[in-house]
Amino acid sequence: MQIAIIGLGRMGMNMARRLLRGGHEVAVWNRSPAKTQVMEAEGAAGFTSLQALAASLAPPRTLWFMLPAGEATQQRMDEVLPFLQPGDVVVDGANAYWKDDRPRADRLAAHGIRYVDAGVSGGIWGLENGYCTMLGGEAADIRHLAPVLDTLAPPQGWMHCGPAGAGHFVKMVHNGIEYAMMESYGEGFDLLRNGPFSGLDLQGIAALWNRGSVVRSWLLELLDAALKKDPGLASLKGYVDDSGEGRWTVTDAVDHAVPVPVLAQALFRRFESRQDDLFSNKVLAALRNEFGGHAVKNTDEGDAS
């Protein structure tokens, strides 16, 4: 199948590679030409303008956007829209907010352009293992994409989740759960490291738990690999960013009165990781000192007083 990948970041470039390996005809565009040139050397047709890219495709065209969610994606869609025609299919594979999908689908539909939202999971390992893909849109448009999806995903690794927005919604909840799973592993291994038994083999435990235990997972395999490279994780700082999907998950849960305390706490722990000295902890210290005379540490001395 002929397809264009727009955006050659960590995910987009490897998706293009996987499609090439699967025998598809792949055209690519990237804001910086260096990555386009890399993919040209690997067999893709590279373009420096979206107009030229669109002109190279036979109708009905399929354009899969792998750009940062929000303005970056919308800007490039607006740029290429004049060069598309009714029946073409536009796919947004970014970690976009599902509430943006319905207006975008309606806007493109006014031009006869079909729209599919794709939540894509697999990270840098997707090239070899495949990309789990969650899709929203019309059933006929998903069927049109089936040859591409069968190549990108592992066996039974893609699903039509519902109408426009459903794919990104399912991916959003997926990422919220991912936050909570990562937090639980972090807390558990913190206790293993700092609990009553010193010198436990953390990497060995991670490897052990992946052999038949109920907490085995790919995330635990990744922790095993990280601990092999750096047993104490001494080279890392405990600063954890968030992509926005965890925030959207909690916001939607509030909007629909769905209790997600573990997912919310995992998100808040990421916020906490970015502050060296939380003001809330200073308030706690001040209150304990005021009501009970408990010792506190002063910033200028660093000693208990």
Side-chain angles (χ1 to χ4, degrees):
M1 180 174 173
Q2 191 180 52
I3 184 171
I5 299 292
I6 299 173
L8 298 174
R10 287 176 296 177
M11 295 277 281
M13 180 173 280
N14 280 344
M15 288 171 66
R17 286 183 171 125
R18 190 170 172 93
L19 289 169
L20 285 169
R21 292 179 184 180
H24 297 276
E25 185 180 342
V26 181
V28 297
W29 176 94
N30 193 65
R31 182 173 57 86
S32 57
K35 292 182 177 179
T36 302
Q37 293 165 2
V38 169
M39 292 311 303
E40 284 181 310
E42 297 184 23
F47 296 89
T48 57
S49 82
L50 291 174
Q51 180 178 3
L53 178 141
S56 74
L57 303 174
R61 304 169 181 87
T62 299
L63 295 88
W64 191 306
F65 288 77
M66 289 301 297
L67 296 168
E71 291 184 7
T73 296
Q74 191 59 56
Q75 177 186 351
R76 299 307 177 185
M77 285 187 182
D78 291 343
E79 184 178 336
V80 77
L81 181 59
F83 312 115
L84 302 182
Q85 64 186 45
D88 291 347
V89 179
V90 167
V91 183
D92 180 13
N95 278 340
Y97 193 21
W98 65 271
K99 289 185 177 180
D100 295 333
D101 287 313
R102 185 72 261 173
R104 181 175 288 161
D106 290 342
R107 181 169 179 270
L108 290 173
H111 298 271
I113 309 300
R114 300 178 285 171
Y115 178 76
V116 172
D117 55 283
V120 183
S121 181
I124 60 175
W125 298 91
L127 175 60
E128 301 301 332
N129 299 334
Y131 298 90
C132 177
T133 309
M134 298 141 266
L135 301 138
E138 297 295 329
D141 301 336
I142 307 299
R143 287 195 297 271
H144 169 77
L145 293 171
V148 165
L149 297 170
D150 286 342
T151 298
L152 286 174
Q156 299 180 316
W158 64 268
M159 178 180 177
H160 181 199
C161 299
H168 281 151
F169 176 75
V170 173
K171 178 57 163 53
M172 179 193 75
V173 177
H174 164 282
N175 280 26
I177 293 171
E178 175 189 297
Y179 281 29
M181 291 175 66
M182 292 170 68
E183 175 63 21
S184 67
Y185 282 132
E187 293 180 12
F189 276 81
D190 193 3
L191 181 58
L192 288 171
R193 183 175 185 269
N194 297 303
F197 295 94
S198 62
L200 289 175
D201 179 1
L202 301 185
Q203 183 270 317
I205 292 169
L208 173 68
W209 284 354
N210 264 318
R211 293 175 174 85
S213 87
V214 296
V215 298
R216 65 188 182 274
S217 75
W218 182 53
L219 286 173
L220 197 54
E221 291 176 11
L222 296 177
L223 179 58
D224 178 7
L227 290 169
K228 283 179 181 176
K229 291 183 287 188
D230 185 356
L233 303 182
S235 64
L236 299 177
K237 186 176 181 180
Y239 182 104
V240 187
D241 216 333
D242 70 284
S243 63
E245 299 231 327
R247 302 184 189 209
W248 299 333
T249 301
V250 173
T251 298
D252 279 4
V254 171
D255 288 346
H256 292 84
V258 177
V260 291
V262 176
L263 274 61
Q265 182 60 22
L267 173 65
F268 297 149
R269 285 283 289 127
R270 293 197 175 199
F271 297 162
E272 184 179 358
S273 77
R274 301 169 208 167
Q275 301 183 46
D276 293 330
D277 195 4
L278 287 172
F279 185 75
S280 61
N281 289 340
K282 293 185 179 185
V283 172
L284 293 178
L287 289 174
R288 292 184 78 247
N289 181 251
E290 292 295 326
F291 71 68
H294 298 286
V296 295
K297 290 187 175 182
N298 296 318
T299 56
D300 57 343
E301 299 175 358
D303 298 321
S305 62

